[in-house]
Amino acid sequence: MKKLLLFTLLITSLSGYKVKVGENSPELNFTLMDGTPITNENLKGKVVVLQFTASWCGVCREEMPHLESKVWQRFKNEDFILIGIDLKEKPEKVKRFIEQMNVTYPFTIDGDGSLFESFTLPNAGVTRNIVLNKTGEIIFLSRLYEEKEFNQMIKTIDAALKKS
């Protein structure tokens, strides 16, 4: 039992997450850049992707066009939302970043990093996608951008949308 606990702790620390698949999402209470309030309660009934990003992050920039074309454009007319969450940057910079990346999914700014830190261990890297099912349970966690893992995330989203 001790070995299993140690293994679980090691895997969690390597991933940088303090949350796990199967757990409910930490509290969500923020406002999108367009003024729309977001809470755990008003996300119920939707499959949600929380994409943590920043303008200075090269891997984020590599991944974002794929999120736009293969995730947002594919699922946006279903019970689905993809939310870009920019980490600790000023609104003007984030607006320029969104325009440069040519993405249309909604964004918010995690000004103090507290939203990010509700999911991650201290000093975790920023390129992350967290998928929640319609009841707010974490069903997928990713780190960095890797095509095979990204495609698995898409399959997970698709399967979650098909569940009633």
Side-chain angles (χ1 to χ4, degrees), residues 30-74:
F30 57 87
T31 304
L32 296 177
M33 291 176 74
D34 71 3
T36 304
I38 298 293
T39 65
N40 299 69
E41 196 55 38
N42 68 15
L43 290 175
K44 290 246 162 92
K46 292 187 182 294
V47 174
V48 179
V49 174
L50 303 173
Q51 177 229 359
F52 287 97
T53 189
S55 67
W56 47 262
C57 171
V59 177
C60 301
R61 287 176 172 272
E62 178 185 355
E63 179 185 57
M64 288 173 76
H66 301 286
L67 282 167
E68 175 69 25
S69 64
K70 296 177 182 173
V71 178
W72 181 240
Q73 293 303 320
R74 177 174 173 184

Side-chain angles (χ1 to χ4, degrees), residues 18 23 34-35 70 91 102 105 107 112 124 133 137 162 164:
K18 64 182 175 188
E23 295 179 349
D34 71 3
K70 296 177 182 173
N102 200 29
Y105 49 89
F107 258 79
D112 64 0
N133 68 13
E137 177 185 328
K162 289 177 180 169
S164 50

Side-chain angles (χ1 to χ4, degrees), residues 3-17 121:
K3 286 182 181 179
L4 179 61
L5 181 60
L6 275 169
F7 179 74
T8 302
L9 288 171
L10 176 65
I11 294 301
T12 301
S13 66
L14 289 176
S15 73
Y17 283 107
L121 296 168

Side-chain angles (χ1 to χ4, degrees), residues 29-148:
N29 189 2
F30 57 87
T31 304
L32 296 177
M33 291 176 74
D34 71 3
T36 304
I38 298 293
T39 65
N40 299 69
E41 196 55 38
N42 68 15
L43 290 175
K44 290 246 162 92
K46 292 187 182 294
V47 174
V48 179
V49 174
L50 303 173
Q51 177 229 359
F52 287 97
T53 189
S55 67
W56 47 262
C57 171
V59 177
C60 301
R61 287 176 172 272
E62 178 185 355
E63 179 185 57
M64 288 173 76
H66 301 286
L67 282 167
E68 175 69 25
S69 64
K70 296 177 182 173
V71 178
W72 181 240
Q73 293 303 320
R74 177 174 173 184
F75 298 117
K76 71 179 182 179
N77 295 319
E78 300 187 43
D79 292 325
F80 175 79
I81 188 166
L82 164 61
I83 301 171
I85 304 170
D86 187 273
L87 188 60
K88 299 181 181 179
E89 295 186 295
K90 302 248 182 277
E92 313 77 56
K93 187 170 209 159
V94 177
K95 286 176 188 170
R96 279 194 311 273
F97 176 43
I98 292 166
E99 287 172 14
Q100 287 171 355
M101 296 311 303
N102 200 29
V103 295
T104 61
Y105 49 89
F107 258 79
T108 191
I109 300 171
D110 186 10
D112 64 0
S114 60
L115 180 56
F116 184 64
E117 291 169 6
S118 70
F119 289 93
T120 62
L121 296 168
N123 303 312
V126 71
T127 309
R128 296 179 184 275
N129 294 305
I130 299 162
V131 182
L132 310 176
N133 68 13
K134 293 178 182 180
T135 64
E137 177 185 328
I138 298 167
I139 58 172
F140 193 86
L141 298 167
S142 72
R143 169 79 179 108
L144 299 172
Y145 172 71
E146 193 278 314
E147 189 175 355
K148 186 176 177 184

